[in-house]
Amino acid sequence: GAGVSQSPSNKVTEKGKDVELRCDPISGHTALYWYRQRLGQGLEFLIYFQGNSAPDKSGLPSDRFSAERTGESVSTLTIQRTQQEDSAVYLCASSLAGDRGLGELFFGEGSRLTVL
Amino acid sequence: GESVGLHLPTLSVQEGDNSIINCAYSNSASDYFIWYKQESGKGPQFIIDIRSNMDKRQGQRVTVLLNKTVKHLSLQIAATQPGDSAVYFCAENKGGGFKTIFGAGTRLFVKA
């Protein structure tokens, strides 16, 4: 597709379960980002990929969170043993330039996670 | 993760008036700044950007002003329309697309 695609769009899970969130970036975009947005709040940086390497994982809230990326394509954000405070919209974005220049981010519509 | 986790300030303007949304950024080494618009239920969308070697940039109905001395960014929207109602975020980064950090956001309401 033409834009960043995220799935699932909505996920309801029970506390303690693991969840996987998927992001398909725009074809050719080398940089990929994950952000978390709690209700009514700003965007919290989680992790950034340049290609399939993650130079900056400093935003991951705990070791329950992990992310991987296959080449310059799909990325998966995994949350293990989910907690209620993990409830949020998880936004993925991709960018052409990465470290090399302009950094306009193209966002998907997000995956809304609700942990009961 | 990094962000400012505050409840969003709001700005209410009359349709047709000009809007000014302000943002204070944190890193004096940041050299690239972007404004994003987020409508309800959607991801943020790019509005306009500016590099640190400029202090003003204009787009269609929007102008971004950068004051590096006081680390302040503003977005001016001319002749505000109901479709401009959204949350507006400023974002900063250093050296291009690496680790874009978002500000707290401002909710703009446009009254018809």
Side-chain angles (χ1 to χ4, degrees):
Chain A
V4 176
S5 177
Q6 292 188 246
S7 61
S9 55
N10 275 287
K11 176 71 176 179
V12 180
T13 191
E14 293 179 348
K15 178 181 171 181
K17 301 284 189 184
D18 297 352
V19 296
E20 282 191 355
L21 308 176
R22 176 188 168 107
C23 174
D24 279 280
I26 294 171
S27 178
H29 281 195
T30 57
L32 185 146
Y33 303 77
W34 284 98
Y35 289 86
R36 178 168 71 179
Q37 187 174 32
R38 292 197 166 103
L39 183 64
Q41 296 193 14
L43 276 71
E44 179 185 358
F45 172 84
L46 297 180
I47 189 169
Y48 151 79
F49 286 92
Q50 178 67 4
N52 64 0
S53 70
D56 193 329
K57 303 180 184 179
S58 63
L60 294 177
S62 73
D63 59 7
R64 297 186 295 105
F65 286 73
S66 62
E68 61 180 28
R69 187 180 185 195
T70 307
E72 294 187 352
S73 184
V74 172
S75 176
T76 303
L77 177 69
T78 301
I79 310 172
Q80 295 178 308
R81 304 180 303 280
T82 51
Q83 303 294 313
Q84 288 181 331
E85 65 261 27
D86 300 334
S87 296
V89 175
Y90 289 83
L91 289 160
C92 176
S94 68
S95 169
L96 259 177
D99 290 342
R100 296 191 302 273
L102 292 177
E104 177 189 347
L105 304 185
F106 295 83
F107 281 87
E109 299 213 331
S111 292
R112 181 178 298 278
L113 175 65
T114 303
V115 182
L116 301 177
Chain B
E2 294 184 55
S3 77
V4 181
L6 304 173
H7 291 288
L8 299 175
T10 59
L11 173 67
S12 185
V13 300
Q14 198 70 37
E15 180 180 2
D17 287 351
N18 297 333
S19 303
I20 300 176
I21 301 170
N22 296 303
C23 175
Y25 63 92
S26 58
N27 186 349
S28 57
S30 292
D31 58 6
Y32 178 60
F33 305 89
I34 317 106
W35 280 98
Y36 287 88
K37 173 186 180 183
Q38 186 177 28
E39 295 176 306
S40 181
K42 297 186 178 180
Q45 286 186 299
F46 172 89
I47 302 173
I48 190 168
D49 58 1
I50 188 167
R51 289 191 176 278
S52 58
N53 61 354
M54 304 172 68
D55 53 20
K56 180 179 180 179
R57 190 163 188 226
Q58 289 186 291
Q60 186 177 12
R61 283 202 307 118
V62 294
T63 301
V64 56
L65 299 176
L66 174 62
N67 184 331
K68 294 181 288 293
T69 303
V70 294
K71 294 192 289 185
H72 183 267
L73 200 62
S74 69
L75 177 70
Q76 300 178 359
I77 305 173
T80 315
Q81 302 169 359
D84 295 328
S85 293
V87 177
Y88 290 81
F89 293 98
C90 67
E92 59 181 300
N93 66 23
K94 179 174 176 293
F98 172 71
K99 196 173 180 180
T100 300
I101 300 299
F102 282 72
T106 298
R107 187 179 301 279
L108 176 66
F109 287 110
V110 181
K111 296 175 287 187

